[in-house]
Amino acid sequence: MAAKVRRPITIKDVAAHAGVSFKSVSNVVNDRPYVSDELRRRVQHAIKELGYRPHSVARSLINRRSNLLGVVLRASAADTHADPFFSQFLLGACTAAGAEGFGVLVQILLTEEPFRFYADVFDHQQIDGLIDFSPRFDDASGAEEESDQDLPVVRIGRARPGTDTLAVDGDNEQGAYTAVSHLISLGHRRIGMIANADLSYTVANTRVQGYRQALAAHGLPFEEDLLIAGSFSRQSGQDAMVHLLDLPKPPNAVFVSSDRMALGAMRAVYDRGLRIPQDMAIVGYDDLFLAEHTNPPLTTVQTPIDEISTRSTRMLIDAIRGLHIEPRQVILPTRLVVRQSCGATTGATQDWQP
Amino acid sequence: MAAKVRRPITIKDVAAHAGVSFKSVSNVVNDRPYVSDELRRRVQHAIKELGYRPHSVARSLINRRSNLLGVVLRASAADTHADPFFSQFLLGACTAAGAEGFGVLVQILLTEEPFRFYADVFDHQQIDGLIDFSPRFDDASGAEEESDQDLPVVRIGRARPGTDTLAVDGDNEQGAYTAVSHLISLGHRRIGMIANADLSYTVANTRVQGYRQALAAHGLPFEEDLLIAGSFSRQSGQDAMVHLLDLPKPPNAVFVSSDRMALGAMRAVYDRGLRIPQDMAIVGYDDLFLAEHTNPPLTTVQTPIDEISTRSTRMLIDAIRGLHIEPRQVILPTRLVVRQSCGATTGATQDWQP
DNA sequence: CTGAAAGCGCTTACAG
DNA sequence: CTGAAAGCGCTTACAG
C-alpha cells in the first residue's frame, strides 16, 4: 500500500531520492525499454517509499489524452429513477475502463432539456471518447449520431442503417423471436404483441420484427389487430391490453416488449377477472428486478447488459487508440428467463402470491 | 451554438483573431475586473467565432484543481443491479456539479474486492473531492472515514459519533418513527420489526431507534422477541418473518426496514395462508419502484434522494473551495408513502391484484 | 543511461 | 490595458 502523502511528490523528488535522473523515472513509469533492472528496482523502490503518483493532468497536457471516457445517459426523470440498467452498465464500464487506465465521467441529461451536442455535454471537461447510453432517445431525431468533433463515440443501441457508427446492442429480434416462439411451443396460436414504443424507435421496431419472424417461422398469420404500440409507461401497457381484450376475438397470449408495460397489462387482465396464465399468457422484456416479484412471476427476456457495457467500453478505447474496429456494430444474444406468466410449468421458481 | 472545430483552438488563436494580447483573453475568460466593455465584446466575439473552449487540462495543471468530483459506490454485485438510488443520486450530483463547473467521475467497487483507499480508487485520476455513496458498507470497518489525503470527502450516510466527517443522510429515526406511529394509529399494539441489517450498521441501527421511540411515545412496551435483524436480502426478510410467525404470540403488524426484505416477509405471510393487511400489516422502507406493484401495494418510507444528492454535492464543492461548513452533518426528513399493506384504507392508490 | 532544452495551454506576477 | 518571462509536472527529441 502506498505511503500516505501530504504534499505532492513530483518526478524530481523521486529522482533525487533514487539518485537518478528524472528522465529515468519517467522511463520506468512509462515502461520504456532500455532501462536496466537495477535502475528499475531503485526507481520503483523510491516511488513506493515516497508514495509517488504520476500527475495525470500534466501527462494529459502533453499526451493530448485525458484518459477519461464520457458516458451520457439521456432519459426522462421518471426513467432515471427506475432505470435498472444504468447502474449495472456503469459497473461494467468502470471496471473495463479502469483496467485500461481510463476513468469514467458521467453526465445525465433529462430529455426534457433542450438537445445538446456531445461537446457541450461535457463542456470544458476533456474526454477522449464517449459512450451514448440513451436507449429510449427517439432514433428518428438522429441528432445524437452526428458527432460534432472528431470524438470517438460508441452508441448503445442500434446504429442507423447505412452508417458506420460504432454501436453495441442486445439482439432485440432474437429476444422477441425467442419469447414468441416459446409461447407458440406452449400451444398458443393467437398471440398479440404490445410494443414498448412507437415503431420509429428501433428498440421497439426490432422487437416487432422478431415477433413477426416467429409467427412466420411457425406458419402463423400476422394479424395487424393484434399488434399495438405503447409508449414505455405502465399505463400505456394497461391501455394497450384493454384494447386487445376489447377485440372481437382477443388473443390468449401477449408478448409485451417491456416489463414495466407488462405490469400494466397484467393489471388490465386482472381487472377483467381473468387469470394469468390460464386465460392470458404474458411474456415481458427487460428482466427488471421486479419481474421476479409479479403475480405470477413474469417470464421475460434478459438483455446481456454486463457484456454490452464491457464490449462497448473496450470498443471505445480501441477507437481512441486508433485501432481498426471490425465489426463496427455488435449485437449480443439475449436470454429468455422462463417463470410462470407464460404458462410453462417448468419454471425454476416456485409459485407464490405477491 | 459553438462553431464546429476540427483543430484545437488556443488562447493565442483567439488573441490573434481579436487583435488583443492573449493575456486579455485570459482575463475575459476568467471574468477578471478591469476589462473594458469594448475589449470584452471583441474577445467574446472571437471566442464564439472560433469555437474556442479553454483547455481544462492546462488550467488544472496551473490551478491545481481538476474541477472533477469523484463519486464512489461500494456495493455488492447483486445490489448494484437493483440499486434504484444510485442512478437517481447521480442525476442530482451531475446537475448540481455541472452548475458549478464540476464534472463527475464515477467509480463503482464491489464489496467483494479488497478494500481500497480513496486515493487508490481513482488511481492516477486527479479529483478535487469525493462523495462516498456506500450506504450498505459496514460502518464498523470505519476505514472509509479515514481520508488518506487532504481530500475533502462527503459521506452519504451517518457520520460516526464524535467525528466531524461531512455527511448527508435521510432521517432514519424519523422515518422509522413515522412508519411505526402510523401502524399504532391504525390500532396495532403488537408491532414487530425486521431490521434491514445487523445493528452494527447505522443504517439499521438508526431505524431501530425510531421504532423504539415510537413504541415508547405511545406507551407500548419494547419486546425483544419482536425485533429481528436481517441482512439486506429478500431471503433474510422471509426468514425473519417466519421466525416472527413462529413466536408463541406473533405480532399482527411488522415494520420491515427495507422494501426488498418486505417482499420476502410478504411471501412468508402468504405461505402461511394469512392475508395482508388483515392478518398482518406491513410497512417497508425505501420506496423502491416495485413498492407500488406488490400485492397489496406496499406502504413504505421514502428517502429524499434528490435532496441528498444536491446537498451533498454542494457541500463537497463548498469544502473544496475552503468554505467553513456548518453544520457538518445534514439529516433530511423522509416521507411516509401510504398504500395498502398497512391496512389504511385512505391510500390514494386503488386496490389491484398483481 | 545522463544532461540540458523545449514545449503542452494556460495563469500569475512583474514591469511598463 | 500590453509585453516578456516564468512555471504548473511531465514527455519528447537531441546531444553526449
Side-chain angles (χ1 to χ4, degrees):
Chain A
M1 183 163 314
K4 302 200 177 187
V5 188
R6 288 292 149 197
R7 290 180 197 179
I9 304 291
T10 76
I11 198 173
K12 292 183 182 173
D13 298 320
V14 177
H17 191 85
V20 300
S21 74
F22 65 81
K23 175 73 201 305
S24 297
V25 178
S26 175
N27 283 337
V28 170
V29 167
N30 293 292
D31 242 349
R32 291 278 136 65
Y34 305 119
V35 181
S36 75
D37 288 352
E38 159 63 6
L39 210 180
R40 184 180 307 279
R41 248 193 308 279
R42 264 172 52 204
V43 170
Q44 278 166 346
H45 182 76
I47 286 176
K48 216 178 211 162
E49 200 140 277
L50 297 177
Y52 169 71
R53 289 169 185 276
H55 195 290
S56 67
V57 171
R59 303 176 95 178
S60 294
L61 184 57
I62 205 158
N63 294 333
R64 321 202 121 269
R65 278 284 174 79
S66 63
N67 283 323
L68 253 26
L69 266 32
V71 175
V72 207
L73 170 67
R74 283 194 181 95
S76 74
D79 286 343
T80 308
H81 298 187
D83 197 321
F85 297 137
F86 192 59
S87 299
Q88 204 175 337
F89 180 86
L90 277 181
L91 171 60
C94 287
T95 307
E100 299 292 329
F102 282 82
V104 174
L105 254 175
V106 171
Q107 199 53 261
I108 304 185
L109 304 178
L110 296 181
T111 46
E112 293 80 14
E113 299 170 15
F115 179 81
R116 288 199 268 165
F117 282 96
Y118 291 139
D120 293 323
V121 167
F122 287 94
D123 198 34
H124 293 176
Q125 231 66 55
Q126 312 290 328
I127 54 173
D128 294 338
L130 184 147
I131 296 178
D132 187 4
F133 186 91
S134 309
R136 299 200 176 142
F137 199 64
D138 185 355
D139 304 293
S141 98
E144 81 279 11
E145 302 214 17
E146 203 188 316
S147 185
D148 40 11
Q149 294 213 320
D150 300 304
L151 195 71
V153 174
V154 176
R155 171 158 191 209
I156 305 304
R158 210 54 59 96
R160 186 184 317 281
T163 62
D164 69 339
T165 320
L166 296 172
V168 180
D169 200 7
D171 194 335
N172 290 304
E173 281 95 338
Q174 174 254 322
Y177 184 94
T178 307
V180 175
S181 297
H182 179 71
L183 285 170
I184 295 172
S185 77
L186 258 24
H188 295 287
R189 290 297 170 266
R190 275 185 73 72
I191 302 173
M193 171 168 179
I194 299 176
N196 46 325
D198 185 83
L199 302 196
S200 67
Y201 288 75
T202 56
V203 74
N205 197 23
T206 47
R207 292 176 191 180
V208 169
Q209 296 311 317
Y211 163 73
R212 297 187 65 156
Q213 286 160 17
L215 293 181
H218 295 84
L220 295 176
F222 166 68
E223 299 183 38
E224 203 142 346
D225 280 1
L226 296 185
L227 169 63
I228 174 164
S231 54
F232 299 124
S233 71
R234 190 192 74 185
Q235 184 65 47
S236 77
Q238 186 172 348
D239 296 346
M241 183 59 96
V242 166
H243 184 91
L244 289 175
L245 291 170
D246 282 342
L247 249 32
K249 209 183 155 203
N252 49 23
V254 174
F255 168 49
V256 188
S257 62
S258 144
D259 284 356
R260 192 184 311 203
M261 288 169 59
L263 229 42
M266 289 171 91
R267 178 161 182 168
V269 172
Y270 284 127
D271 281 351
R272 291 283 165 104
L274 301 173
R275 295 162 304 163
I276 300 172
Q278 297 88 337
D279 303 316
M280 179 66 80
I282 292 184
V283 175
Y285 204 112
D286 285 340
D287 196 27
L288 298 189
F289 175 63
L290 59 74
E292 226 180 307
H293 301 291
T294 55
N295 172 32
L298 187 64
T299 292
T300 187
V301 179
Q302 190 181 74
T303 295
I305 188 69
D306 289 327
E307 206 182 339
I308 288 178
S309 73
T310 303
R311 290 289 288 269
S312 58
T313 305
R314 294 216 192 105
M315 186 184 262
L316 179 59
I317 292 173
D318 285 347
I320 289 168
R321 291 181 173 154
L323 271 53
H324 176 74
I325 295 169
E326 200 62 47
R328 317 231 355 131
Q329 278 110 33
V330 173
I331 309 286
L332 299 167
T334 58
R335 192 170 79 84
L336 183 70
V337 181
V338 178
R339 298 198 179 92
Q340 279 103 62
S341 66
C342 55
T345 50
T346 50
T349 23
Q350 68 215 82
D351 192 50
W352 68 295
Q353 293 176 29
Chain B
M1 181 163 315
K4 302 202 177 184
V5 189
R6 288 291 149 199
R7 290 182 195 179
I9 304 292
T10 76
I11 198 173
K12 291 183 182 173
D13 297 320
V14 177
H17 191 86
V20 300
S21 74
F22 65 83
K23 175 74 202 302
S24 296
V25 178
S26 174
N27 282 338
V28 170
V29 167
N30 293 292
D31 242 349
R32 291 277 136 66
Y34 304 121
V35 181
S36 75
D37 288 351
E38 158 62 7
L39 211 180
R40 182 180 308 279
R41 248 192 311 275
R42 264 173 50 205
V43 170
Q44 279 165 346
H45 182 75
I47 286 176
K48 217 180 208 159
E49 199 139 277
L50 296 178
Y52 169 72
R53 290 169 185 276
H55 194 289
S56 67
V57 171
R59 303 176 94 178
S60 294
L61 184 57
I62 204 160
N63 294 334
R64 324 203 120 270
R65 278 281 174 78
S66 63
N67 283 322
L68 252 26
L69 268 31
V71 175
V72 207
L73 170 67
R74 282 194 182 94
S76 74
D79 286 343
T80 308
H81 298 187
D83 198 321
F85 297 138
F86 193 58
S87 299
Q88 205 174 339
F89 180 86
L90 277 181
L91 171 60
C94 287
T95 307
E100 299 292 330
F102 283 82
V104 174
L105 253 176
V106 170
Q107 198 52 261
I108 303 186
L109 304 178
L110 297 181
T111 47
E112 293 80 13
E113 299 170 14
F115 179 82
R116 288 199 269 163
F117 283 95
Y118 291 139
D120 294 321
V121 168
F122 286 93
D123 197 33
H124 293 176
Q125 230 68 54
Q126 312 289 327
I127 54 173
D128 294 338
L130 184 147
I131 296 179
D132 186 5
F133 186 90
S134 309
R136 298 198 176 145
F137 198 65
D138 185 354
D139 305 292
S141 97
E144 82 280 11
E145 302 214 16
E146 202 187 317
S147 184
D148 40 10
Q149 294 214 318
D150 300 306
L151 194 72
V153 173
V154 175
R155 172 156 191 212
I156 305 304
R158 211 53 61 95
R160 187 183 315 283
T163 62
D164 70 340
T165 320
L166 296 171
V168 180
D169 200 6
D171 195 336
N172 291 304
E173 282 96 336
Q174 173 253 323
Y177 183 94
T178 308
V180 176
S181 297
H182 179 71
L183 285 170
I184 295 172
S185 77
L186 257 24
H188 295 288
R189 289 298 170 266
R190 275 185 73 71
I191 302 173
M193 171 168 180
I194 298 176
N196 46 325
D198 185 82
L199 302 195
S200 66
Y201 288 75
T202 55
V203 74
N205 198 23
T206 46
R207 292 175 190 181
V208 169
Q209 296 310 317
Y211 164 73
R212 298 188 63 157
Q213 286 160 17
L215 294 180
H218 296 84
L220 295 176
F222 166 68
E223 298 183 38
E224 203 140 348
D225 280 359
L226 296 187
L227 170 63
I228 174 162
S231 54
F232 299 122
S233 72
R234 189 192 75 182
Q235 185 63 47
S236 76
Q238 186 171 349
D239 296 345
M241 182 60 94
V242 165
H243 184 92
L244 288 175
L245 291 170
D246 282 342
L247 249 33
K249 212 184 154 201
N252 49 25
V254 174
F255 167 50
V256 188
S257 61
S258 144
D259 283 357
R260 190 183 313 205
M261 288 170 59
L263 230 41
M266 289 171 91
R267 177 161 183 167
V269 172
Y270 285 126
D271 281 351
R272 290 285 164 104
L274 301 173
R275 295 162 304 162
I276 299 172
Q278 297 87 336
D279 303 315
M280 179 66 80
I282 291 184
V283 175
Y285 205 111
D286 285 340
D287 196 28
L288 298 189
F289 174 63
L290 60 76
E292 227 180 304
H293 302 290
T294 56
N295 172 30
L298 188 64
T299 292
T300 187
V301 179
Q302 190 182 74
T303 296
I305 188 69
D306 290 327
E307 206 182 338
I308 289 178
S309 74
T310 304
R311 290 289 289 267
S312 57
T313 305
R314 294 215 192 107
M315 186 184 260
L316 179 59
I317 292 173
D318 285 347
I320 288 167
R321 292 181 172 154
L323 270 53
H324 176 76
I325 295 169
E326 199 64 47
R328 316 228 0 127
Q329 278 109 33
V330 173
I331 309 286
L332 299 166
T334 59
R335 193 169 79 84
L336 183 70
V337 180
V338 178
R339 297 197 179 93
Q340 280 105 61
S341 65
C342 56
T345 49
T346 50
T349 22
Q350 66 213 80
D351 193 50
W352 69 295
Q353 293 176 27

